[in-house]
Amino acid sequence: MLRIAVLTSGGDSPGMNAAIRAVVRKAIYHGLEVIGIQRGFSGFIEADMGPMNLGSVADIIHRGGTVLRTARSEEFKTYPGRTKAYANVARFGIQGLVIIGGDGSFRGARVFHDEFNVPVLGVPGTIDNDITGTDYSIGFDTAVNTVVEAINKIRDTATSHERTFILEVMGRESGCIALTAGLAGGAESIIIPELEFNIDEVCEKLYRGYKRGKLHSIIIVAEGAAGGMEISKVISEKTGLETKVTILGHLQRGGTPSAFDRILASRLGARAVEMLMSGHHKHMVGMMAGEIVTCPLETAFAGKQPIDMDVYNLAAVLSI
Ligand code: F6P
């Protein structure tokens, strides 16, 4: 193998740059050439790509976003679109492709591999942490820390005004960010799409808290479960308490990556290059129980990452 390419795809996540850096430097260390593809599969189709060297990834390990840019390409979902991308594989002499992204990107990569037999290696990068085959995806830890920081700040004003706050967080169909940040931030209730919730129980808990002198309450809602505005309206109607809503939105996707995400990204990016060099054609790298592991690419989107019921139950007990 002489030349590989790397791209980032789907929603960006903090730590993607550290993963790009690891792929480029590990590949060059082993004597490979690296092509950087801009704007994900869109740039792949449009030949928006060029060589990368050691300097191309200097000074990016601490930066959020992705220096390669990213996109969600509709055209790559079509056979003609993928055919154009394949033409660029031949044109640029690409012998392997590292894709840093989420399950949607891996689905596209799998189809591309099956149609054109181009070796593809997936590196999980999404704040949602909804990919099976890895305990953590790159960016999740940073996003959780961002949410916890927001909870801390909201808590100050919530206490001063004796208010209830509803914080809506990202995660698509996953409640992983909500659950993890909810436990770390000491939220009173956590509403996630994986579990049925009873709004009356949420209200009763709030009411009990206020009766015993609690000055504020914070409820975390995962976007996949319900809208923060909707929950706020129901709670204030049922309890008469003053509720405020904060939708954290895309600020959860930005910011300097945590040390955990940088290390995860560095280890996964490097292992992806090793996998390509050793002839693995359709795999994803991940981390389970602290070890770097690999699995067939399909595993990444074969099922839904289950939520940790121990964490959920503990959060409920501690916020009684
Ligand atoms: O997958 C990452 C994510 O941030 C989700 O949590 C969210 O639902 C979605 O992307 C938002 O997508 P966009 O940036 O296209 O609005």
Side-chain angles (χ1 to χ4, degrees):
M1 178 163 287
L2 295 172
R3 185 176 294 163
I4 64 168
V6 58
L7 62 79
T8 48
S9 173
D12 61 350
S13 66
M16 278 185 163
N17 280 329
I20 297 167
R21 173 179 178 269
V23 169
V24 171
R25 294 207 166 159
K26 177 79 172 169
I28 291 174
Y29 175 82
H30 289 290
L32 306 182
E33 292 175 7
V34 187
I35 303 281
I37 302 174
Q38 299 282 326
R39 297 182 296 109
F41 292 126
S42 301
F44 198 18
I45 290 168
E46 293 160 23
D48 190 358
M49 55 180 90
M52 298 185 84
N53 56 37
L54 295 176
S56 319
V57 290
D59 206 24
I60 66 168
I61 194 167
H62 62 297
R63 282 167 56 189
T66 158
V67 291
L68 287 176
R69 313 273 182 267
T70 185
R72 302 188 202 276
S73 170
E74 286 304 315
E75 198 179 356
F76 196 75
K77 290 182 184 159
T78 68
Y79 182 70
R82 293 190 296 274
T83 305
K84 285 188 205 163
Y86 181 63
N88 292 324
V89 168
R91 180 173 155 203
F92 287 84
I94 295 166
Q95 292 160 310
L97 178 63
V98 177
I99 292 147
I100 305 164
D103 57 348
S105 309
F106 296 162
R107 273 196 185 89
R110 198 269 299 261
V111 175
F112 187 66
H113 170 275
D114 293 350
E115 285 169 347
F116 301 106
N117 203 26
V118 176
V120 291
L121 241 295
V123 175
T126 164
I127 63 165
D128 299 340
N129 208 33
D130 57 351
I131 297 177
T132 45
T134 186
D135 289 341
Y136 297 106
S137 55
I138 297 164
F140 168 70
D141 181 67
T142 307
V144 166
N145 279 294
T146 300
V147 175
V148 171
E149 207 182 311
I151 294 174
N152 295 342
K153 290 182 176 166
I154 293 285
R155 194 182 277 279
D156 290 343
T157 177
T159 308
S160 307
H161 288 265
E162 301 178 30
R163 280 171 170 159
T164 297
F165 268 82
I166 319 293
L167 238 81
E168 183 187 308
V169 302
M170 278 188 167
R172 212 177 279 278
E173 294 307 313
S174 165
C176 209
I177 294 177
L179 179 56
T180 313
L183 176 64
E188 270 64 34
S189 293
I190 303 169
I191 298 176
I192 54 176
E194 290 85 350
L195 297 173
E196 292 270 315
F197 70 96
N198 181 332
I199 199 72
D200 290 325
E201 281 171 16
V202 174
C203 292
E204 271 164 34
K205 191 171 181 185
L206 271 180
Y207 211 65
R208 275 202 311 274
Y210 278 100
K211 280 210 341 221
R212 47 162 241 271
K214 256 189 171 179
L215 291 182
H216 69 265
S217 286
I218 292 173
I219 296 170
I220 309 286
V221 185
E223 64 175 353
M229 298 300 286
E230 176 195 337
I231 294 288
S232 161
K233 194 165 172 283
V234 178
I235 289 179
S236 60
E237 274 169 13
K238 282 184 182 273
T239 62
L241 294 168
E242 185 181 15
T243 60
K244 294 278 175 183
V245 183
T246 300
I247 299 173
L248 290 182
H250 286 81
L251 72 80
Q252 295 161 95
R253 289 242 295 265
T256 187
S258 65
F260 180 89
D261 275 330
R262 297 182 201 193
I263 292 165
L264 179 68
S266 301
R267 294 181 73 190
L268 296 185
R271 178 60 71 86
V273 173
E274 284 170 6
M275 291 289 285
L276 279 178
M277 288 173 64
S278 60
H280 290 85
H281 283 192
K282 207 173 43 163
H283 277 72
M284 184 190 83
V285 291
M287 190 175 80
M288 296 193 95
E291 300 291 327
I292 301 302
V293 295
T294 60
C295 62
L297 199 56
E298 291 81 14
T299 308
F301 47 85
K304 203 168 179 316
Q305 174 88 289
I307 60 135
D308 190 331
M309 282 309 292
D310 284 346
V311 172
Y312 184 82
N313 292 330
L314 179 63
V317 167
L318 299 185
S319 63
I320 196 165

